[in-house]
Amino acid sequence: MVTALSILLALAVVAACSAAADPISNHLPAANQNLFHHPGAKRVIFNIGSYHDPPSPPDDETIVIAIEARPDTSSRIKDEPGLYVLTAAVSSGYGIHVMHHYEDSSSLLKPRDPGADWTNKGKAGKVLLVPTVPLSAIMALVKDLECSFLKIDAQGFDFKIVQGAGALLKACPFINTEVYCGSYNAYQGAENHFERNFLPYMAEMGFVPAGRGFLDATTLNPNWEVCTHVNEEMAMIWRRADVTTPIDDVVRWCPLCCT
């Protein structure tokens, strides 16, 4: 497992030279050139907000980069070949951000909206200060690997993360995000709505909804339109419009990517 410190040092260099015309790799210290080196690796799965149970690499040619902001949670992730853990939060830019920790979740957004239906399920706990990096910087460090899947579970911050990927988002054939439907808004200030935020932006980036939830353990529910007339949060799978690989094949290859 690569240490979070070495990755953060590399990302600090990325931030310092983000405006430069030279490739990022030209500015990284030699020791950090191959942070995610895994012999024979050809593909990468990104899992943002992995909690303590990210997907394992599904084969010897695929690595998983799990990103979890809470140190007490990321430290519980098991060490295994091809799995790399970054203890940080992903946002639309670099900085230090307040993270609100609750009994059953954490978010970069403000404390729970009093109007959310699960407000009273757990009392607010401690507040953490966490480093934030844009997804584009992390993706740039493994630009030579094919992105197979991007999974995001960021408690209302998913859309900001997607925006932070910039044009590199188009490198991913499938993306799993949590979206808000109807008037549902679990956190104050969240901009994570399916129709207002995701649908126009993802269309601009060349993605279409592929489905949501599951009919069984390996079959995605294709009825994504339900999000237009319900009031809840749901997982939404996005497919790049030019991709012909059946999403159910991806679910069988990496089940935890789509849950």
Side-chain angles (χ1 to χ4, degrees):
M1 183 184 295
V2 171
T3 66
L5 177 60
S6 61
I7 298 176
L8 287 175
L9 287 174
L11 289 171
V13 176
V14 171
C17 65
S18 59
D22 295 338
I24 290 172
S25 58
N26 290 350
H27 299 267
L28 288 176
N32 290 326
Q33 289 281 351
N34 296 302
L35 285 173
F36 303 105
H37 176 69
H38 184 73
K42 298 179 180 178
R43 296 175 293 273
V44 57
I45 294 170
F46 298 96
N47 184 190
I48 300 172
S50 65
Y51 198 47
H52 60 76
D53 53 354
S56 298
D59 54 56
D60 292 338
E61 294 183 341
T62 305
I63 68 170
V64 173
I65 299 179
I67 305 163
E68 169 58 45
R70 288 173 49 190
D72 60 332
T73 301
S74 65
S75 64
R76 296 167 58 193
I77 298 176
K78 63 180 179 179
D79 191 1
E80 56 181 304
L83 174 61
Y84 300 86
V85 181
L86 169 60
T87 304
V90 179
S91 182
S92 55
Y94 301 93
I96 302 295
H97 207 295
V98 171
M99 169 162 279
H100 305 275
H101 173 46
Y102 305 101
E103 191 172 56
D104 57 357
S105 62
S106 299
S107 177
L108 291 179
L109 294 173
K110 299 174 183 178
R112 299 178 179 187
D113 190 330
D117 60 4
W118 42 274
T119 297
N120 297 318
K121 290 183 179 179
K123 296 181 179 179
K126 60 185 177 182
V127 172
L128 306 174
L129 293 178
V130 296
T132 60
V133 295
L135 179 56
S136 58
I138 300 169
M139 296 181 72
L141 291 175
V142 287
K143 61 182 183 298
D144 294 333
L145 298 182
E146 173 190 346
C147 175
S148 293
F149 206 97
L150 167 60
K151 178 183 179 181
I152 306 173
D153 183 355
Q155 300 300 314
F157 220 74
D158 301 55
F159 184 62
K160 290 291 186 184
I161 291 172
V162 165
Q163 288 182 307
L168 290 178
L169 189 73
K170 299 177 182 179
C172 300
F174 294 100
I175 301 172
N176 181 1
T177 66
E178 287 186 339
V179 302
Y180 290 171
C181 309
S183 61
Y184 187 90
N185 194 25
Y187 295 94
Q188 296 179 19
E191 295 180 358
N192 210 54
H193 197 269
F194 173 68
E195 292 183 278
R196 291 195 301 271
N197 303 124
F198 273 102
L199 202 56
Y201 184 79
M202 295 302 277
E204 179 183 341
M205 299 301 287
F207 288 83
V208 296
R212 54 95 194 174
F214 292 89
L215 296 174
D216 57 47
T218 59
T219 305
L220 189 72
N221 188 339
N223 182 22
W224 59 265
E225 293 92 343
V226 69
C227 193
T228 63
H229 60 270
V230 298
N231 184 31
E232 60 184 73
E233 177 188 67
M234 64 176 61
M236 187 68 65
I237 307 293
W238 304 87
R239 174 179 57 82
R240 204 175 63 220
D242 65 325
V243 173
T244 58
T245 303
I247 182 60
D248 290 341
D249 288 355
V250 179
V251 175
R252 284 187 285 270
W253 176 66
C254 183
L256 282 180
C257 288
C258 302
T259 56

